[in-house]
Amino acid sequence: LLAARQASGLVSDKQVKVVTSRTLPQGITAMIEYGNERYDNDLPTLTDSMQAALANVVTCEITTATRTVSLEGVTAREGQYIGLIDDKLSVAGDNLEQVAQEVLAKAKADKSELITLYYGEAVTDVEAQQLADALSAQFKKPEFQIVNGGQPLYPYIISVE
């Protein structure tokens, strides 16, 4: 974010505004808003719309604990799956599907419209579809999308909107 702000100050021949997304799902949501609004609005209105769209996104991440830790009232052992909600440790467990279910429950996914699973490089298409099927059985209201994110350290980055 700091680099983007500095770079925007170096541009003298164009108008540049920085949208302060902090997660991959937020950035994608902002870009979708840009795609929907770019022909209808001036730059300040467009960036305000993009910035406002960020508030509609909860980012959940599932990865593996690299050390034993207790944070935010959650204890995770090294090697366990951990679920983060907007960068805060929220869930820990030995079963990836269970961690995904718990993190989505805490993110109030049952009240959302769309859940996008960005699956990482160590996850197959079949595994991602199986997880989406299991989660959609528990969270019936939202639509589920699956996207090959290819990220190396997170089996899943999940956008809840």
Side-chain angles (χ1 to χ4, degrees):
L1 190 56
L2 180 59
R5 286 188 175 139
Q6 287 175 336
S8 72
L10 299 175
V11 178
S12 60
D13 60 333
K14 297 184 192 262
Q15 285 187 329
V16 177
K17 291 268 220 169
V18 176
V19 176
T20 58
S21 63
R22 297 197 178 273
T23 67
L24 173 80
Q26 282 185 337
I28 291 169
T29 296
M31 290 307 301
I32 290 170
E33 187 70 18
Y34 170 82
N36 291 338
E37 303 285 333
R38 72 181 182 272
Y39 298 116
D40 299 329
N41 294 308
D42 60 9
L43 182 63
T45 303
L46 177 59
T47 54
D48 286 348
S49 294
M50 292 170 70
Q51 192 69 45
L54 304 182
N56 298 325
V57 180
V58 175
T59 300
C60 301
E61 298 162 304
I62 298 175
T63 190
T64 305
T66 57
R67 61 186 170 90
T68 299
V69 65
S70 287
L71 291 170
E72 310 286 337
V74 177
T75 299
R77 293 185 323 275
E78 181 178 345
Q80 275 190 315
Y81 290 107
I82 56 173
L84 298 98
I85 300 174
D86 292 329
D87 291 327
K88 293 184 181 165
L89 181 62
S90 300
V91 177
D94 296 318
N95 180 284
L96 189 139
E97 183 180 318
Q98 178 187 357
V99 168
Q101 288 176 346
E102 289 179 23
V103 79
L104 286 176
K106 287 188 176 193
K108 299 184 182 354
D110 54 340
K111 296 183 185 336
S112 70
E113 294 178 14
L114 176 65
I115 297 173
T116 305
L117 303 176
Y118 297 93
Y119 64 95
E121 68 182 10
V123 178
T124 68
D125 296 341
V126 171
E127 290 169 328
Q129 185 61 58
Q130 288 171 341
L131 180 62
D133 291 344
L135 294 172
S136 65
Q138 181 177 353
F139 302 97
K140 298 193 185 309
K141 181 183 174 204
E143 175 186 342
F144 279 79
Q145 292 182 341
I146 304 168
V147 176
N148 183 346
Q151 64 272 8
L153 301 176
Y154 291 79
Y156 292 95
I157 298 174
I158 305 170
S159 177
V160 179
E161 301 177 61

